Amino acid sequence: MVFEKIFFYFFSGLGFFKNGWKGSHDFIPITFLYTTTMYDCMIKVAINGYGTIGKRVADAVAAQKDMKVVGVSKTRPNAEAFVAKQRGYPLYIADLSKKAAFEKAGLSVVGSVEDMCKAADVIVDATPSDVGATNKQLYERLGKKALWQGGEEHEIAGFSFNSSCNYKDAIGRQFVRVVSCNTTGLCRIINEIDKEYGVSHVHAIMIRRGSDPGEIKKGPIDAVVLDPVTVPSHHGPDVLTVLPHISITTMAMIVPTTMMHMHAIQITTKKTVSRDRVIDLIKNHPRLGLVKKTLGIKSTAELKEFAMDLGRQRSDLWENCIFEESIYANKNELCFFQAIHQEADVVVENIDAIRAMVGLEKDASRSIMTTNGALGLNLIQNNH
Ligand code: NAD
């Protein structure tokens, strides 16, 4: 990679000094070397597990100028496999004995998951919870960088990631875990409030979606389920894997909806908190969205409809959606509601994690801006 970079800059410079801006007879070969080398400089990313998260990460990788998708993996020839084909992603499969079934369905298979991993600089493991852990041996044996999702335990990578909180600590790492959707949403806002006021304690209640829209076999259909019935839920301890100094208690339940999670958050701050300043902090953060009163939205369903109408890909909301009217500040107490799109907020974090692990971008803000820019993320508050 370093050699390729030197090569890239050498030929860029040579092209300029030899030809100036206008070019000359050898402009084409130099441009060719420039472009092919630039292509080689791109981070090669494989997505192991092309499902809800994997397919979004693949599209987000493909949108970046410094990354490319070298393959995605499937276990069976379902609708998502056809989407991968339509997107032009090389398709690999977990079990080669199923190759004939894929090919019979009209899906060409390039090779096995191991073949795919060999072709990659970084593997994004987006297989279902607990399956990811079984892949670690493979990544270790191949000496590859890999990142897992929040369904795996912190110990799998020994490092849990959030772009806004600990990007620098991920630089050069072989293994990283991107925390779950709820933890990502919590970390972003808690860290911001902590930097400004200091956080004494956080109390957060998560009203979670029962299943993702495509999951037809999950519920509940007609119940509010305490999940878990015990306190704290796993979300609080999970926040500590990123922000170990924060005192936090979380409670969680699941409800019959597929759209988004809703968080009711109460933060006790060390210094007196100002509502106006909190709104400014939210407006100035690249991954915090503000649902202003003018929008007239007070539900997850309306938020998703708005994202769809805005033309967001898959109606994804990559940012936290904090309801401006719910923001209540009194002395050392801050309360608000925020909606979190479970399928989307971790996707942008995966992209920054890749960049940090490879070490090509040392600055968190620059990576976040690059990721957001490539996806055309225009924060929700800028649309009303
Ligand atoms: P999913 O079931 O939608 O997708 C997983 C994909 O992996 C499927 O396409 C499946 O066919 C494939 N797969 C299964 N076993 C495989 C194997 N051995 N090798 C290769 N591919 C295999 O799951 P998901 O919802 O995308 O979740 C993936 C991870 O992301 C989990 O750790 C989950 O906890 C985490 N996560 C999920 C959400 C969410 O809301 N869905 C949000 C944040 C984090």
Side-chain angles (χ1 to χ4, degrees):
M1 190 76 89
V2 172
F3 173 73
E4 287 165 344
K5 251 187 126 176
I6 293 166
F7 199 63
F8 170 77
Y9 289 119
F10 174 73
F11 278 105
S12 321
L14 195 63
F16 175 74
F17 287 118
K18 271 194 98 172
N19 307 312
W21 292 115
K22 291 198 173 148
S24 72
H25 63 282
D26 51 7
F27 176 74
I28 291 172
I30 286 176
T31 305
F32 171 75
L33 283 165
Y34 182 101
T35 354
T36 44
T37 315
M38 192 159 105
Y39 184 75
D40 282 344
C41 278
M42 291 166 92
I43 306 166
K44 301 180 193 77
V45 183
I47 289 96
N48 194 11
Y50 189 75
T52 307
I53 299 298
K55 65 186 176 189
R56 288 174 165 81
V57 172
D59 289 351
V61 166
Q64 309 300 314
K65 288 204 175 81
D66 54 353
M67 300 179 192
K68 62 175 173 160
V69 177
V70 294
V72 302
S73 76
K74 287 297 302 171
T75 45
R76 54 196 180 93
N78 66 359
E80 279 161 346
F82 285 96
V83 174
K85 179 184 173 180
Q86 183 258 347
R87 299 278 207 270
Y89 302 143
L91 187 63
Y92 294 80
I93 56 175
D95 177 2
L96 271 182
S97 71
K98 293 191 180 149
K99 188 173 176 182
F102 274 83
E103 302 210 316
K104 198 172 162 206
L107 296 160
S108 19
V109 172
V110 182
S112 66
V113 165
E114 179 160 345
D115 297 332
M116 178 181 78
C117 295
K118 282 181 184 158
D121 298 319
V122 182
I123 300 136
V124 174
D125 192 303
T127 57
S129 304
D130 299 329
V131 174
T134 63
N135 294 325
K136 186 171 179 179
Q137 248 189 339
L138 172 66
Y139 308 148
E140 275 176 333
R141 180 161 54 78
L142 299 177
K144 295 289 178 178
K145 290 182 186 283
L147 62 96
W148 287 269
Q149 310 305 312
E152 305 303 325
E153 299 294 326
H154 167 80
E155 287 65 33
I156 191 162
F159 177 78
S160 292
F161 177 83
N162 177 266
S163 314
S164 310
C165 303
N166 60 6
Y167 182 96
K168 273 203 159 34
D169 299 331
I171 292 171
R173 280 191 184 261
Q174 183 183 3
F175 296 139
V176 163
R177 165 184 175 259
V178 174
V179 290
S180 77
C181 46
N182 283 305
T183 307
T184 295
L186 288 170
C187 287
R188 284 177 184 165
I189 184 68
I190 293 170
N191 187 50
E192 203 56 21
I193 300 300
D194 189 43
K195 282 192 295 176
E196 185 74 9
Y197 297 110
V199 165
S200 296
H201 189 69
V202 181
H203 188 215
I205 300 175
M206 261 68 65
I207 299 117
R208 300 162 57 207
R209 60 88 179 99
S211 71
D212 290 336
E215 292 176 315
I216 57 171
K217 291 184 182 162
K218 279 174 84 177
I221 289 178
D222 188 13
V224 176
V225 182
L226 304 178
D227 186 41
V229 70
T230 50
V231 178
S233 67
H234 74 273
H235 307 94
D238 206 29
V239 165
L240 302 188
T241 64
V242 177
L243 300 169
H245 62 288
I246 294 290
S247 167
I248 179 167
T249 311
T250 52
M251 300 166 80
M253 60 193 94
I254 53 174
V255 295
T257 175
T258 62
M259 297 284 183
M260 300 176 87
H261 305 300
M262 186 70 83
H263 296 177
I265 301 180
Q266 181 191 17
I267 301 179
T268 309
T269 53
K270 290 182 180 156
K271 293 185 213 150
T272 305
V273 64
S274 143
R275 183 177 187 273
D276 288 346
R277 179 70 186 135
V278 168
I279 291 172
D280 278 347
L281 290 173
I282 295 167
K283 281 186 183 161
N284 294 328
H285 188 286
R287 301 258 167 91
L288 294 178
L290 191 69
V291 183
K292 292 186 272 185
K293 186 180 179 180
T294 44
L295 198 56
I297 283 182
K298 51 183 174 189
S299 70
T300 52
E302 292 162 295
L303 266 178
K304 285 304 300 284
E305 188 74 9
F306 186 53
M308 230 180 300
D309 291 344
L310 290 176
R312 291 266 185 116
Q313 190 174 23
R314 293 192 176 90
S315 70
D316 279 352
L317 287 154
W318 297 289
E319 67 270 54
N320 293 22
C321 299
I322 302 172
F323 291 81
E324 183 179 28
E325 282 183 279
S326 74
I327 300 171
Y328 168 85
N330 182 22
K331 294 178 188 158
N332 291 45
E333 186 186 25
L334 173 70
C335 300
F336 56 92
F337 287 116
Q338 67 171 6
I340 298 294
H341 184 198
Q342 77 279 359
E343 300 164 298
D345 71 337
V346 297
V347 172
V348 283
E349 305 289 323
N350 270 265
I351 302 301
D352 296 325
I354 294 168
R355 222 174 254 123
M357 290 164 80
V358 172
L360 281 184
E361 178 56 77
K362 306 276 193 291
D363 184 79
S365 309
R366 278 207 297 266
S367 176
I368 292 170
M369 293 323 283
T370 304
T371 304
N372 287 4
L375 290 171
L377 200 177
N378 184 16
L379 291 163
I380 197 156
Q381 58 267 28
N382 300 329
N383 293 282
H384 64 293

